């Protein structure tokens, strides 16, 4: 969904478990948590705080 990245909780190199909140996207005046899809480490972060994103834009990669 289109929105604006308002907070990033994990950064490149951070370990995550499936379901961990990685960032928060503001859409339709609500904060929507974006979770890690699987266990691993954040290998890249394409989103930045304050950035507007569109549906389908890659936000981060877990490897």
């Amino acid at each position: 969904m289109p929105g604006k990245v308002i907070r990033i909780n994990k950064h490149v190199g951070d370990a995550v478990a499936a379901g961990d909140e990685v960032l928060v996207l503001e859409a339709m005046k609500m904060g929507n948590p974006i979770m890690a899809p699987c266990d691993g480490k954040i290998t890249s972060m394409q989103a930045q705080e304050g950035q507007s994103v569109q549906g389908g834009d890659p936000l981060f990669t877990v490897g």
Side-chain angles (χ1 to χ4, degrees):
M1 82 179 78
K4 181 178 178 182
V5 178
I6 58 173
R7 185 175 65 239
I8 296 177
N9 299 322
K10 302 287 185 182
H11 301 282
V12 172
D14 289 351
V16 293
D20 284 355
E21 183 179 283
V22 177
L23 56 87
V24 178
L25 185 67
E26 181 184 83
M28 299 175 8
K29 298 184 182 182
M30 293 175 40
N32 300 286
I34 306 300
M35 312 296 199
C38 59
D39 296 348
K41 286 188 178 182
I42 303 291
T43 57
S44 67
M45 182 65 69
Q46 291 83 11
Q48 298 177 15
E49 286 186 12
Q51 178 182 357
S52 293
V53 296
Q54 298 299 313
D57 286 354
L59 302 175
F60 59 90
T61 306
V62 177

